[in-house]
Amino acid sequence: MATAAAASASEAEAEPKAGPEAEGEQDEAKAARARRKVLSRAVAAATYKTMGPEWDQQEEGVSESDGDEEYAMASSAESSPGEYEWGYDEEEKNQLEIERLEEQLSINVYDYNCHVDLIRLLRLEGELTKVRMARQKMSEIFPLTEELWLEWLHDEISMAMDGLDREHVYDLFERAVKDYICPNIWLEYGQYSVGGIGQKGGLEKVRSVFERALSSVGLHMTKGLAIWEAYREFESAIVEAARLEKVHSLFRRQLAIPLYDMEATFAEYEEWSEDPIPESVIQSYNKALQQLEKYKPYEEALLQAEAPRLAEYQAYIDFEMKIGDPARIQLIFERALVENCLVPDLWIRYSQYLDRQLKVKDLVLSAHSRAVRNCPWTVALWSRYLLALERHGVEHRVISVTFEKALSAGFIQATDYVEIWQAYLDYLRRRVDFKQDSSKELEELRSAFARALEYLKQEVEERFSESGDPSCLIMQNWARIEARLCNNMQKARELWDSIMTRGNAKFANMWLEYYNLERAHGDTQHCRKALHRAVQCTSDYPEHVCEVLLTMERTEGTLEDWDIAVQKTETRLARVNEQRIKAAEKEAALAQQEEEKVEQRKRARAEKKALKKKKKTRGADKHRADEDDEKEWGDDEEEQPSKRRRVENSVPPAGEAEPGSEADLSGSSAPAATESPSELKEVRVGARRRDVPKVPHDSSKDGVTVFVSNLPYGLGEPAATLRPLFEACGDVVEVRPIFSNRGDFRGYCYVEFREEAAALQALQLDRQSVEGRPMFVSPCVDKSKNPDFKVFRYSTALEKHKLFVSGLPFSCTKEELEEICKAHGTVKDIRLVTNRAGKPKGLAYVEYENESQASQAVLKMDGMTIRENVIKVAISNPPQRKVPEKPEARKAPGSALLPRQVYGARGKGRTQLSLLPRALQRPSAATAQAENGPATPATTEAPKMSNADFAKLLLRKKLLCLLYK
């Protein structure tokens, strides 16, 4: 009554005063609208406050202080209209947003977040009728969460005035407890029913609600206790001697169930009961305590884990399935589904258990209905739902309506539509009595087949650019039904002709399927005709088709038929062999052309490199070669200088030539180039690295070693830089960077740990940035022993909950993309694709919480413009990664296969050059040991040469060159 009075008062105040001043009418209307809004919120806040501590005022956005402030603002609006201008603008924005959300829902009614936002805005604006309609529409499509149901129930309870309104609230509670098994909703239901105890049948209603609540959630180990206590308190409040036995019964029933805080309940029973507790009750209590100890590890795992705790629930379900208590199995499934309602596999497992074990119609159909409402994009759930409806004898009209809902569910793949059509057509086929020549069910089946073909051709092919049924499975099924069950081979042949004209005539299995159908239900003439056509059209296995034709003519045909068959098969096979030879020659020619292109590129690179080197050294070499000093060449060979390393080792003082240098040999001294301190430091570091002996990689430690690559080549001290990074994963034994022969860092290294667990944890550092470059961390595997080993941590299969975004601006950051994507659902992860230098490539992968949100994001974001770039968005379905060619595949026709050169654990390095002069090289089968791979035993060993030997050799060559010139 207070609500109605307040509403009428606000309406009275909202009427604008008539007056001659036209400019004041708009201000009066604004002030009245603000006062009406504030009063309605204040009344609602006061009403909701009576609901007790369950009502969260802050969540609803209403508090006493807020109401007082808004009312004060509205009361002063008449004197100062500028103060409420902000609220009026906010209201206009909300109205525009409401219109946008309503339009969006008219396009796609399965947008869950759009429903939630619309309800929130309508509730904020006080549009009670529209809020009720929006909630009704959403509840028809999706099961509402516990929070949404409690909010709806609180609103309806606050507006309930009479018995009819109470019945309406009861209906809402009944719908709420069917969506999910939630102890809080059952508790609210029981408490609300207590308020109607004064009405006719009120006492029976309360007990019925509490008994159903105990059956539903009384076994809940952590939240079931509240239901038991509320029921006992209600029974204890009824002052009747006959009710004492009811309280005794509740205590005894509760103590026989394993629940948390059982000891306190037992102590309370001892204190409440005037008589000693029976021995049977004590035995049941002790047994329940023992059962509680078995369940505690699983309950504690749920308490410690974070939502949605799917793995913990799966383990709990497995445990309950072993015990085999149907009530507890159902309860743990329902508890898991409250937090994992968007996991199709969990719904499939639950419905499968109900179908095969419980087989209770209401439970089974309710679970299937909730499954398809939670995961409408999963075709397997719809197919199981149709089977369950048929299994439990539901009316044909209901099954047809369910199938139509499935078609409008918005599947992600074209094949999903083929699957749901097949399930529905199978159901229609089972309804037909084929003993009758014609019936209503048969005509409905045929019309459904025709509609399915038309639907796949128009609706599905327009959306996915494919029908989803390339092999025409639906048409094949129709042809079999017409031939085997309806004895209508003419219709079956027409259907098979249509199948062959859709690109299936080249496949031998399609022709053999048609041939088998003709053999079973047709005649020999049509069999022969089908095989003759197959011989001419088949391109994948023509030999098999020819063999079937010859076999048939051998057993059933005449001599003339045999001659025709032999002639056709020989002609066809000759043509096929000729085509295969041409294809092989073409392939070989293409392979040879590719090899020639590779050789040309190699020669061009070699010529370019030689020309560059020649230009670089032409001037200095020519000058030095012209200055001949016989005295220097005639010195004792044993005292000749070692190999020149002025750049690599050290820098001589200014004005002083390095011993053994070319300047010293020619008898003149060139001024030394001045070096900066940083360059001197680099030279000394390079010399120190070059003198470090090469340590071969020990393959026996691969399990505790990781391979780190793509590091910056200018990294000064790789070991010192990387060690703190990897020590966070475990105890690091050694960081072994790989240097070139000149002492330059080659961009990769090995990190050896003391324990294998630390190496596995170090793999998580993959793609972490080191001085602006993504570091690659992979397991240490010898590819000479495992050539097929690949490290790629991302999935290459279809991921329906993940999107692939292309065409992004290179300057687009992860935060900017997340801001765009989160408008269409909950974003779990975003990965920007970069090159080896860490620069973005304009590509990204966006992972959503479920498939529905991902599909909605595709529809909304595909073709969107971001900074003048039009992006493309699609479901993530990467192409198959290329498999490395086998040596046999690389072998050209008619050429001998050369033995593959064996390199180190990670293949041939870019700087793996021979330091031995070509004049001294000799052919050998030995393989040098790789500096970063396992040792390979050598069959022959090259003779070792000292620095003096090399100097003698070079001096002889220079003398010969000078004499020749």
Side-chain angles (χ1 to χ4, degrees):
M1 298 299 293
T3 305
S8 62
S10 64
E11 289 175 2
E13 291 183 8
E15 295 180 0
K17 298 179 181 180
E21 301 168 0
E23 64 273 10
E25 291 181 0
Q26 185 176 5
D27 294 340
E28 282 290 326
K30 292 179 180 178
R33 188 181 298 108
R35 285 195 298 271
R36 182 171 66 251
K37 182 176 179 181
V38 170
L39 284 174
S40 63
R41 288 189 179 182
V43 172
T47 307
Y48 294 161
K49 189 176 180 181
T50 61
M51 295 305 300
E54 295 295 328
W55 175 252
D56 187 0
Q57 290 183 343
Q58 296 301 324
E59 180 180 349
E60 306 302 329
V62 178
S63 64
E64 292 186 36
S65 60
D66 293 340
D68 294 340
E69 292 173 3
E70 292 182 2
Y71 184 79
M73 182 184 69
S75 62
S76 61
E78 189 172 352
S79 60
S80 56
E83 295 181 7
Y84 60 79
E85 192 67 31
W86 179 85
Y88 180 72
D89 294 341
E90 188 70 18
E91 184 178 352
E92 290 293 330
K93 291 180 181 179
N94 290 342
Q95 289 295 335
L96 293 175
E97 182 66 14
I98 288 172
E99 293 177 2
R100 186 190 69 81
L101 292 173
E102 290 176 344
E103 182 180 358
Q104 188 171 347
L105 286 176
S106 64
I107 299 174
N108 180 19
V109 74
Y110 287 97
D111 193 334
Y112 185 89
N113 294 328
C114 191
H115 281 284
V116 175
D117 293 340
L118 178 61
I119 292 172
R120 178 182 56 82
L121 287 175
L122 290 174
R123 192 168 183 271
L124 185 64
E125 292 298 315
E127 301 284 352
L128 300 181
T129 304
K130 290 185 177 180
V131 169
R132 185 176 292 172
M133 293 176 59
R135 285 167 168 163
Q136 181 66 28
K137 290 181 179 179
M138 183 179 181
S139 64
E140 292 174 357
I141 302 172
F142 300 104
L144 304 186
T145 62
E146 180 181 352
E147 293 77 12
L148 291 175
W149 269 120
L150 289 176
E151 182 183 82
W152 189 359
L153 290 167
H154 288 156
D155 289 350
E156 295 293 341
I157 290 172
S158 66
M159 294 183 292
M161 296 297 176
D162 51 18
L164 293 178
D165 292 338
R166 179 170 285 275
E167 291 298 325
H168 172 64
V169 176
Y170 282 153
D171 293 339
L172 281 182
F173 269 113
E174 290 295 332
R175 292 171 56 188
V177 297
K178 289 179 181 178
D179 275 356
Y180 297 106
I181 294 182
C182 298
N184 292 335
I185 295 180
W186 276 111
L187 188 60
E188 287 283 338
Y189 194 5
Q191 292 175 350
Y192 181 73
S193 63
V194 172
I197 194 172
Q199 297 180 352
K200 183 180 179 180
L203 181 61
E204 289 75 11
K205 175 70 175 178
V206 176
R207 286 177 174 158
S208 173
V209 170
F210 274 114
E211 287 293 339
R212 290 171 56 201
L214 291 179
S215 300
S216 180
V217 296
L219 297 177
H220 198 298
M221 298 190 65
T222 56
K223 297 182 179 181
L225 182 63
I227 305 293
W228 287 99
E229 291 180 348
Y231 194 6
R232 286 205 317 271
E233 290 175 2
F234 167 73
E235 291 292 349
S236 300
I238 302 175
V239 186
E240 294 182 18
R243 306 306 173 200
L244 296 178
E245 185 59 32
K246 184 72 174 178
V247 179
H248 275 289
S249 176
L250 287 175
F251 267 118
R252 293 167 184 172
R253 288 167 59 189
Q254 181 181 351
L255 292 174
I257 298 173
L259 297 173
Y260 269 48
D261 205 14
M262 291 185 63
E263 296 83 357
T265 305
F266 185 78
E268 182 182 353
Y269 185 30
E270 286 182 323
E271 182 181 354
W272 181 85
S273 178
E274 298 177 356
D275 301 328
I277 299 178
E279 186 64 27
S280 59
V281 176
I282 297 176
Q283 291 179 358
S284 300
Y285 167 69
N286 292 329
K287 183 178 179 181
L289 281 177
Q290 295 176 359
Q291 293 177 349
L292 179 62
E293 294 301 322
K294 297 180 180 179
Y295 289 111
K296 269 188 177 180
Y298 298 96
E299 292 290 343
E300 291 174 356
L302 291 176
L303 293 175
Q304 295 173 2
E306 296 181 358
R309 301 177 281 200
L310 180 59
E312 289 76 13
Y313 276 118
Q314 293 281 17
Y316 205 162
I317 290 172
D318 294 338
F319 174 73
E320 291 286 8
M321 295 283 277
K322 292 179 181 178
I323 296 177
D325 186 349
R328 298 197 67 89
I329 293 174
Q330 182 187 358
L331 177 63
I332 191 58
F333 266 117
E334 293 289 349
R335 288 176 62 184
L337 289 169
V338 169
E339 298 184 21
N340 299 275
C341 58
L342 301 178
V343 180
D345 292 339
L346 188 59
W347 282 108
I348 291 174
R349 187 178 180 186
Y350 183 34
S351 60
Q352 183 175 340
Y353 169 76
L354 295 177
D355 288 334
R356 297 179 180 179
Q357 302 297 329
L358 295 187
K359 301 180 181 179
V360 179
K361 179 180 178 180
D362 294 337
L363 290 177
V364 171
L365 297 185
S366 173
H368 280 289
S369 176
R370 290 185 291 136
V372 297
R373 289 167 64 199
N374 275 286
C375 307
W377 63 88
T378 307
V379 67
L381 293 175
W382 286 103
S383 301
R384 290 173 177 272
Y385 191 16
L386 293 177
L387 290 174
L389 291 172
E390 181 185 2
R391 192 177 294 117
H392 291 280
V394 180
E395 296 180 0
H396 171 63
R397 178 184 59 81
V398 177
I399 298 179
S400 299
V401 171
T402 304
F403 169 70
E404 295 298 333
K405 290 181 180 179
L407 286 182
S408 61
F411 299 129
I412 299 177
Q413 299 182 90
T415 53
D416 293 343
Y417 288 94
V418 178
E419 184 176 345
I420 195 63
W421 269 111
Q422 284 183 322
Y424 184 59
L425 292 170
D426 292 343
Y427 156 71
L428 294 179
R429 193 265 307 165
R430 289 189 285 267
R431 295 181 66 242
V432 179
D433 182 9
F434 290 100
K435 295 180 181 179
Q436 302 178 8
D437 293 338
S438 179
S439 62
K440 180 181 177 180
E441 289 79 8
L442 180 57
E443 294 303 322
E444 183 179 3
L445 175 62
R446 285 172 172 164
S447 62
F449 269 114
R451 182 192 168 198
L453 298 177
E454 189 69 19
Y455 186 90
L456 294 177
K457 182 179 179 181
Q458 294 184 354
E459 301 290 338
V460 178
E461 193 167 352
E462 180 180 354
R463 178 181 173 187
F464 297 97
S465 300
E466 60 168 330
S467 66
D469 190 15
S471 299
C472 301
L473 298 177
I474 292 179
M475 203 177 298
Q476 289 186 45
N477 191 23
W478 189 5
R480 294 189 193 97
I481 292 175
E482 292 289 351
R484 298 174 182 175
L485 302 178
C486 301
N487 297 321
N488 188 355
M489 275 303 300
Q490 183 61 32
K491 179 65 176 178
R493 293 184 184 112
E494 293 176 1
L495 291 171
W496 271 105
D497 286 340
S498 179
I499 292 172
M500 294 305 179
T501 56
R502 298 192 179 190
N504 293 297
K506 59 184 178 181
F507 301 116
N509 64 323
M510 302 296 289
W511 284 108
L512 296 179
E513 188 72 25
Y514 177 32
Y515 165 74
N516 292 331
L517 191 66
E518 285 285 359
R519 291 286 291 178
H521 307 284
D523 52 49
T524 305
Q525 187 64 28
H526 283 90
C527 289
R528 182 176 290 109
K529 183 178 178 181
L531 288 178
H532 282 195
R533 291 176 59 191
V535 168
Q536 297 299 324
C537 300
T538 302
S539 60
D540 54 352
Y541 298 105
E543 295 88 352
H544 188 39
V545 176
C546 293
E547 183 180 352
V548 174
L549 175 60
L550 294 175
T551 301
M552 189 193 77
E553 298 297 356
R554 182 177 286 111
T555 56
E556 301 180 18
T558 62
L559 178 59
E560 183 180 359
D561 296 332
W562 171 261
D563 291 339
I564 294 174
V566 170
Q567 181 181 359
K568 285 191 173 184
T569 54
E570 289 179 350
T571 303
R572 175 58 178 166
L573 292 178
R575 191 183 309 120
V576 168
N577 291 331
E578 183 180 353
Q579 292 174 355
R580 290 175 178 172
I581 292 174
K582 289 182 179 179
E585 292 176 351
K586 184 177 180 181
E587 184 178 355
L590 291 175
Q592 187 175 0
Q593 291 177 4
E594 186 65 25
E595 290 182 358
E596 291 176 355
K597 290 180 180 179
V598 172
E599 291 297 330
Q600 290 177 1
R601 287 195 294 267
K602 288 182 178 179
R603 286 196 298 270
R605 284 196 298 266
E607 292 174 359
K608 185 177 180 181
K609 187 175 181 181
L611 182 61
K612 185 177 180 180
K613 186 176 180 180
K614 184 177 180 181
K615 288 180 179 179
K616 184 177 180 181
T617 59
R618 181 184 299 170
D621 290 346
K622 184 177 181 181
H623 176 71
R624 295 189 184 103
D626 291 339
E627 298 178 355
D628 184 14
D629 192 340
E630 295 296 337
K631 182 172 59 178
E632 290 294 328
W633 295 118
D635 287 344
D636 188 8
E637 293 181 350
E638 294 298 329
E639 298 178 358
Q640 290 301 324
S642 61
K643 185 176 181 180
R644 185 172 67 94
R645 290 184 180 178
R646 185 182 63 83
V647 176
E648 292 86 346
N649 288 331
S650 62
V651 178
E656 183 177 323
E658 180 184 358
S661 63
E662 293 186 6
D664 189 20
L665 292 176
S666 60
S668 62
S669 175
T674 60
E675 301 286 352
S676 64
S678 60
E679 292 176 344
L680 289 173
K681 182 178 180 181
E682 291 179 1
V683 169
R684 294 191 185 98
V685 170
R688 187 174 68 253
R689 291 173 178 173
R690 186 174 58 253
D691 295 336
V692 174
K694 305 297 183 182
V695 179
H697 174 68
D698 188 359
S699 59
S700 64
K701 297 182 179 180
D702 284 350
V704 294
T705 307
V706 295
F707 179 72
V708 185
S709 59
N710 201 47
L711 294 169
Y713 295 103
L715 209 58
E717 294 292 340
T721 304
L722 298 177
R723 179 176 287 273
L725 195 62
F726 285 94
E727 281 181 344
C729 304
D731 190 8
V732 177
V733 176
E734 180 187 10
V735 178
R736 189 168 69 256
I738 304 302
F739 300 101
S740 67
N741 292 315
R742 293 182 56 187
D744 300 327
F745 181 49
R746 298 179 64 177
Y748 62 92
C749 66
Y750 293 85
V751 181
E752 180 183 341
F753 293 89
R754 197 169 301 279
E755 297 178 355
E756 186 174 355
L760 294 177
Q761 187 177 355
L763 297 177
Q764 303 299 322
L765 298 177
D766 187 35
R767 310 283 169 165
Q768 183 165 334
S769 178
V770 175
E771 295 190 3
R773 190 178 180 95
M775 172 180 64
F776 297 165
V777 183
S778 60
C780 187
V781 177
D782 188 353
K783 286 192 176 181
S784 63
K785 299 178 181 178
N786 301 278
D788 297 331
F789 177 78
K790 287 286 183 182
V791 178
F792 193 73
R793 65 173 183 171
Y794 303 110
S795 174
T796 57
L798 174 66
E799 296 178 282
K800 299 181 181 179
H801 65 288
K802 186 179 291 186
L803 303 182
F804 174 68
V805 185
S806 59
L808 289 169
F810 293 140
S811 59
C812 182
T813 63
K814 181 177 179 180
E815 291 74 16
E816 294 174 347
L817 183 59
E818 183 178 7
E819 189 68 24
I820 297 172
C821 297
K822 72 180 183 181
H824 311 293
T826 304
V827 178
K828 294 181 65 177
D829 183 40
I830 292 181
R831 177 169 64 91
L832 295 178
V833 182
T834 60
N835 58 17
R836 297 181 67 89
K839 303 298 181 182
K841 299 173 67 175
L843 310 174
Y845 288 91
V846 182
E847 182 179 358
Y848 279 93
E849 192 172 40
N850 54 64
E851 301 171 9
S852 177
Q853 295 178 1
S855 60
Q856 295 303 320
V858 171
L859 298 176
K860 305 294 176 54
M861 294 174 58
D862 189 29
M864 179 185 292
T865 302
I866 300 178
R867 299 181 189 172
E868 300 181 358
N869 284 40
V870 179
I871 65 172
K872 294 182 180 180
V873 184
I875 298 296
S876 176
N877 188 15
Q880 294 294 328
R881 296 178 66 83
K882 294 182 179 180
V883 179
E885 293 183 357
K886 301 296 182 183
E888 293 78 9
R890 296 195 300 267
K891 180 180 177 182
S895 63
L897 184 63
L898 298 176
R900 177 181 177 182
Q901 187 176 354
V902 180
Y903 301 112
R906 298 196 170 268
K908 183 177 180 180
R910 288 179 292 177
T911 60
Q912 194 170 2
L913 303 177
S914 176
L915 300 179
L916 189 67
R918 282 192 291 270
L920 298 180
Q921 289 182 358
R922 59 182 63 181
S924 173
T927 303
Q929 178 169 330
E931 66 176 2
N932 58 348
T936 305
T939 56
T940 60
E941 184 177 359
K944 296 183 179 179
M945 299 182 67
S946 64
N947 291 337
D949 295 333
F950 277 111
K952 293 177 184 178
L953 178 67
L954 292 174
L955 290 172
R956 291 194 189 99
K957 279 185 168 293
K958 287 196 173 185
L959 284 172
L960 291 174
C961 291
L962 292 173
L963 292 175
Y964 178 75
K965 287 182 179 181

